[in-house]
């Protein structure tokens, strides 16, 4: 992969630990509405919500994200521990 592609895909990502389950992901808030999430583990094993979905037969790769993780990210933005990109 070209260096500029890696930079485009990873620039601004910051570690974030879900306040519900402790799973660590990489996150970038591009705007209030847009969030980039890079899982660093197998979500079906590390996230209880994804694990429950996987156990019921769902393909976790097709799930958008975990609602608890989304809430945790939103809380981090509100309390200032995760910044929204300025452009």
């Amino acid at each position: 992969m070209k260096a500029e592609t890696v930079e485009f895909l990873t620039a601004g990502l910051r570690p974030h630990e879900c306040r519900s389950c402790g799973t660590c992901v990489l996150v970038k808030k591009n705007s209030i509405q847009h969030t980039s999430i890079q899982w660093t583990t197998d979500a079906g094993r590390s996230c209880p919500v994804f694990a429950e979905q996987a156990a019921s037969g769902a393909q976790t790769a097709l799930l958008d994200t975990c609602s608890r993780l989304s809430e945790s990210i939103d809380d981090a933005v509100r309390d200032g521990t995760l910044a929204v990109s300025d452009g």
Side-chain angles (χ1 to χ4, degrees):
M1 198 177 301
K2 292 183 179 182
E4 55 271 2
T5 302
V6 172
E7 174 69 15
F8 174 76
L9 294 173
T10 61
L13 289 171
R14 301 289 178 255
H16 175 77
E17 190 173 290
C18 177
R19 294 176 180 179
S20 177
C21 72
T23 296
C24 188
V25 297
L26 298 176
V27 177
K28 180 180 180 184
K29 285 296 290 179
N30 298 300
S31 69
I32 292 297
Q33 298 82 17
H34 185 266
T35 306
S36 295
I37 299 172
Q38 178 68 47
W39 289 83
T40 59
T41 59
D42 177 355
R45 293 178 190 230
S46 61
C47 171
V49 173
F50 273 64
E52 182 180 316
Q53 293 292 322
S56 70
Q59 294 293 323
T60 58
L62 301 177
L63 299 175
D64 286 335
T65 193
C66 168
S67 60
R68 293 178 189 168
L69 176 60
S70 293
E71 291 170 9
S72 177
I73 292 168
D74 290 345
D75 288 345
V77 169
R78 274 191 294 280
D79 71 22
T81 58
L82 182 64
V84 176
S85 176
D86 61 2

